[in-house]
Amino acid sequence: MRRNRKPVQQRHAPAPAPVVAHSPAEPSSTRALLILLAVSAVLVTAVHWPALSAQALSFDDQDYLVDNPLVRNPSLTSAWRFVSEVLEPSTIGGYYQPLAMISLMIDYGLGGRIDDLTPFHATSLTLHVANTLLIITLLYLLFGQPWPAAIVGILFGAHPLTVEPIPWVGERKTLLAAFFSLLALIAYVRYARTHQLRWFLCATLGYCLALLSKPTSTPLPLAMLVLDWWPLQRFSRRAIFEKLPLLALAAVSSLVTFTSQQRTAVVALPGEYNFVEIPMMICHNIMFYLYKLVWPANLTSHNPLPAPFRLTEPWILAGVIGTCVLVPLMIWSLRRTRSLVAGLLIYSLMLLPTIQIIGFSNVIASDKYAYLPAIGLLLALACGLAQYSSRATNPADRTWRIGLLGGIGALIFCAEAYGTRQYLTVWRDTETLYRHMIALAPQAETLRARLGNLYLEQGRTEDAVAELREAARLAPNFAPIHNDLANALKSQGKFDEAIAEYAEALRLQPDFAEPYSNLGALLVSQGRAKEALDFFQEAIRRVPKLADAHYNLATTLVSLGRTNEAVVSFRKALEYRYPYPDAHNNLAVVLARQGRVDEAIHHFREAIRFSPDYAEAHFNLAGTLARSGQILEAAREYQQVLRIDPSDEDAWRALDQLNRKGS
């Protein structure tokens, strides 16, 4: 007899519960958030506080601050130059970044100086703390839980990988771009919830300001689309359509960035190297930053391109293997949650501009490139913590879970704080910074050359020559290093060796203008002014806007008595460099000799306006004023000379003579 059996029910794996963006409105949650924001600001500030005393100048800080006349002369004129020079910035090679430059200019106006970088670092630290608070706010808006948002935000704020943009003056752009990008994301989340146009306009404005700070924020609209897919769960044709204005801005920014970079710096298109390198580079960078986020050891601003760029290189091989493992794991994770895939997508998309598919740098990776992309990974982490916390069945269980998360977070925070403080010691001065980077990349000729030039500026000529010779050995076919070595040898009085190095630089790069100008200056110092003229003119023929060559030509023409030609060359130097105090001063001297007193006084005053402690210009102006009968004004200028240099005997004598005349 057959027994009746109950029908067997098919068992299904539970469908993954979607994580829906929450709309937090509970007063208790809001109060907790405000308290946690205040605590986070204090903790992150305390961890990074030593950055305020850092005095290292790194790589392009020379262009962003030391030699940038617009930053060092704050004015509406300078600000307009930064804004209006779109396709060919004149004072900073590379892409269009007006907000970052204006920000540095304001800091200079507030007292920042080359020998006191504290005001610059104070602004950068403020921006970093603000970015931390914006991340916490964004995570709270998305997941509705203040504690997980705060834990993740604090871990970001204290992480050693976030050190680099704070003491590095030129990386103000990274912090500003992240600040405006985060504001744009917060506004976009509000728009997705309320569908109010004002929030979308705020998101668009934030995105524009981010692009004007640093164009690495270009992929942000794509990150918004990922947010539409998860956790906002509103991905649709409409979601794509409403991004069209942002994508149009992205296209314009990309075109401007490429053009300005190509005209003023270096761009390497994919066709200029092996296409096989592109996927290897992508794999390397995705895994490299993931590794550094988990284990932030041996951090440096200079990670040179592996040579040769092949799978035999450990980091390249590890990147390819790691990516091949990571991708299927992410696909498998979709069975339970979208958070990991969405977070990794945002991370990868935001890395794209710096991943070197289009080459613009001599490094394969740098800490600062992970600053904004880390948002994607923070989203996934915050989601996991929020899910763990929300599984509590009662208030006691919830308190216990939050306490556990807080305890683990505190341990990680302490480890991060230690690593951050250790890395900040490297930034105490420029020599320490470069020696640290050289220790991690001893074969990097760029680092050796920069350290050599630093020694040359400090008057340590033997050390300079040693480092530059090593750089030339590592890169024998790189003309700029031979030019720098020649400058160092010239400072040692080894003129024949210097001439040989200038010649080598020109052999390697015949269109390189600087060696012509430098060689001309060397000949002038040897009393061979007429020979030098040909070299200055050749430098100008190669690069018509090379201000230093025009200036050197002008001073040489003065020494030869050809003052009318010198005036023309001085004016050219002033046309191609703004401002140029030395050119103003020397042009004024020539004009005064020619009896063009009013013009001379104008140019002396311009030299002083751009360089208030320019003692020679004050002295020359005083003499010109005295000869034209303006005794009181002349006396004031001599007093300015003595303020700058109380031991100037010529100024004391001249002032004494004026006082006798006055009496």
Side-chain angles (χ1 to χ4, degrees):
M1 185 175 177
R2 183 180 294 177
R3 286 194 273 179
N4 292 327
R5 297 176 180 267
K6 291 182 180 180
V8 178
Q9 294 180 344
Q10 187 174 356
R11 296 166 62 185
H12 297 276
V19 178
V20 182
H22 295 273
S23 181
E26 298 177 10
S28 59
S29 293
T30 304
R31 283 195 299 271
L33 176 68
L34 292 175
I35 294 171
L36 288 170
L37 286 173
V39 172
S40 301
V42 171
L43 290 175
V44 174
T45 301
V47 170
H48 286 276
W49 190 258
L52 298 181
S53 59
Q55 291 298 309
L57 292 170
S58 180
F59 293 112
D60 47 13
D61 282 345
Q62 199 78 16
D63 298 325
Y64 278 86
L65 173 61
V66 179
D67 294 331
N68 196 299
L70 301 183
V71 169
R72 297 181 64 182
N73 290 277
S75 65
L76 290 176
T77 301
S78 295
W80 175 245
R81 286 276 299 277
F82 287 131
V83 172
S84 61
E85 294 175 348
V86 179
L87 298 180
E88 197 166 350
S90 62
T91 63
I92 182 73
Y95 44 75
Y96 184 55
Q97 47 188 305
L99 286 189
M101 302 308 299
I102 291 171
S103 173
L104 293 176
M105 181 191 74
I106 291 172
D107 279 347
Y108 194 92
L110 294 174
R113 293 295 181 268
I114 297 168
D115 56 354
D116 181 14
L117 302 177
T118 302
F120 297 102
H121 299 336
T123 301
S124 294
L125 178 54
T126 301
L127 281 169
H128 177 61
V129 172
N131 289 340
T132 301
L133 302 186
L134 289 175
I135 286 172
I136 294 172
T137 303
L138 175 63
L139 298 177
Y140 175 67
L141 287 174
L142 288 172
F143 306 119
Q145 297 192 36
W147 278 97
I151 291 170
V152 172
I154 291 172
L155 293 182
F156 167 81
H159 200 285
L161 210 61
T162 64
V163 165
E164 192 173 273
I166 301 173
W168 188 345
V169 174
E171 282 310 311
R172 172 66 53 76
K173 54 194 175 186
T174 295
L175 297 164
L176 269 180
F179 177 77
F180 290 120
S181 295
L182 287 164
L183 285 177
L185 288 174
I186 289 171
Y188 181 72
V189 171
R190 296 294 298 153
Y191 165 74
R193 293 242 182 77
T194 64
H195 299 290
Q196 293 178 358
L197 180 61
R198 59 177 178 147
W199 287 114
F200 187 81
L201 293 177
C202 288
T204 303
L205 176 62
Y207 181 52
C208 286
L209 295 174
L211 292 174
L212 293 174
S213 302
K214 187 178 184 181
T216 51
S217 51
T218 299
L220 197 64
L222 300 179
M224 291 176 179
L225 280 173
V226 178
L227 286 179
D228 287 332
W229 178 67
W230 181 91
L232 297 175
Q233 297 194 9
R234 60 184 299 272
F235 187 77
S236 63
R237 288 184 181 179
R238 174 184 173 179
I240 297 173
F241 180 77
E242 67 190 14
K243 304 298 184 302
L244 292 181
L246 301 178
L247 292 171
L249 286 172
V252 172
S253 174
S254 299
L255 181 61
V256 168
T257 299
F258 179 81
T259 304
S260 59
Q261 182 78 21
Q262 188 178 49
R263 289 185 179 183
T264 62
V266 177
V267 175
L269 296 174
E272 298 177 31
Y273 50 87
N274 191 341
F275 276 100
V276 177
E277 293 180 5
I278 295 176
M280 290 195 298
M281 200 170 300
I282 293 172
C283 292
H284 170 278
N285 283 3
I286 287 175
M287 298 308 300
F288 179 85
Y289 293 118
L290 284 175
Y291 170 76
K292 290 295 182 182
L293 284 165
V294 175
W295 191 255
N298 296 328
L299 297 180
T300 176
S301 303
H302 189 85
N303 295 283
L305 287 160
F309 201 92
R310 297 174 185 167
L311 285 175
T312 52
E313 286 293 315
W315 271 109
I316 301 296
L317 181 61
V320 171
I321 293 174
T323 304
C324 290
V325 172
L326 184 64
V327 170
L329 283 176
M330 291 300 101
I331 295 173
W332 175 83
S333 73
L334 285 172
R335 299 176 60 188
R336 293 189 171 275
T337 178
R338 292 181 177 182
S339 62
L340 294 178
V341 172
L344 191 66
L345 273 175
I346 292 173
Y347 162 76
S348 302
L349 286 170
M350 297 309 296
L351 267 181
L352 274 179
T354 60
I355 219 159
Q356 293 286 35
I357 295 174
I358 295 178
F360 59 89
S361 173
N362 63 345
V363 298
I364 192 171
S366 188
D367 299 351
K368 59 184 180 286
Y369 296 153
Y371 192 91
L372 185 56
I375 293 170
L377 304 177
L378 299 177
L379 285 172
L381 178 59
C383 172
L385 298 186
Q387 283 184 329
Y388 175 77
S389 177
S390 64
R391 290 193 186 121
T393 56
N394 55 65
D397 186 26
R398 179 176 174 79
T399 302
W400 184 87
R401 286 174 181 257
I402 290 175
L404 177 63
L405 293 178
I408 296 172
L411 290 175
I412 299 174
F413 169 81
C414 291
E416 288 185 346
Y418 175 79
T420 293
R421 287 295 185 96
Q422 288 296 109
Y423 189 32
L424 279 170
T425 61
V426 168
W427 290 83
R428 64 175 176 265
D429 59 66
T430 307
E431 182 179 353
T432 302
L433 177 63
Y434 277 113
R435 287 205 167 279
H436 168 76
M437 289 190 283
I438 288 172
L440 296 175
Q443 301 301 310
E445 72 281 353
T446 303
L447 300 177
R448 298 277 185 184
R450 289 186 176 274
L451 183 59
N453 284 322
L454 173 66
Y455 287 148
L456 187 59
E457 292 171 11
Q458 295 174 342
R460 298 163 58 181
T461 55
E462 289 188 12
D463 292 333
V465 169
E467 289 294 341
L468 288 165
R469 284 196 191 281
E470 178 62 14
R473 184 189 69 80
L474 293 169
N477 297 321
F478 191 43
I481 289 179
H482 288 280
N483 179 65
D484 293 342
L485 175 56
N487 292 337
L489 291 166
K490 174 186 169 184
S491 68
Q492 284 188 321
K494 298 177 179 179
F495 298 130
D496 291 340
E497 291 184 61
I499 290 172
E501 290 297 331
Y502 284 133
E504 179 65 8
L506 293 173
R507 184 189 70 80
L508 293 169
Q509 190 176 334
D511 60 345
F512 191 11
E514 287 185 16
Y516 286 107
S517 182
N518 293 335
L519 186 51
L522 187 154
L523 294 173
V524 169
S525 69
Q526 292 182 313
R528 299 158 64 183
K530 290 184 179 179
E531 293 179 62
L533 292 179
D534 292 336
F535 287 95
F536 295 136
Q537 289 164 348
E538 183 64 19
I540 292 167
R541 188 181 73 80
R542 302 280 181 177
V543 181
K545 295 184 178 182
L546 187 60
D548 285 343
H550 286 286
Y551 176 80
N552 288 336
L553 175 61
T555 56
T556 305
L557 289 168
V558 170
S559 70
L560 294 172
R562 296 160 61 177
T563 54
N564 289 332
E565 295 173 74
V567 168
V568 174
S569 292
F570 277 130
R571 294 193 189 281
K572 284 288 186 183
L574 290 170
E575 179 184 349
Y576 298 133
R577 177 184 293 181
Y578 172 85
Y580 201 159
D582 286 337
H584 279 294
N585 177 66
N586 285 283
L587 172 58
V589 170
V590 175
L591 292 171
R593 290 176 185 171
Q594 293 179 336
R596 299 156 70 176
V597 175
D598 290 341
E599 287 184 74
I601 290 173
H602 166 73
H603 283 286
F604 282 133
R605 292 197 187 282
E606 285 294 284
I608 292 167
R609 180 166 74 91
F610 295 125
S611 183
D613 291 336
Y614 195 169
E616 183 182 344
H618 283 288
F619 187 90
N620 291 335
L621 174 58
T624 304
L625 290 169
R627 285 189 293 274
S628 63
Q630 302 178 56
I631 305 301
L632 291 177
E633 291 85 347
R636 281 195 288 267
E637 291 301 325
Y638 282 128
Q639 288 168 355
Q640 287 297 318
V641 176
L642 295 172
R643 176 187 63 81
I644 298 165
D645 182 10
S647 64
D648 192 320
E649 295 182 2
D650 291 336
W652 281 113
R653 280 193 295 270
L655 183 60
D656 183 55
Q657 290 175 359
L658 286 181
N659 289 333
R660 289 178 182 177
K661 283 185 180 180
S663 60

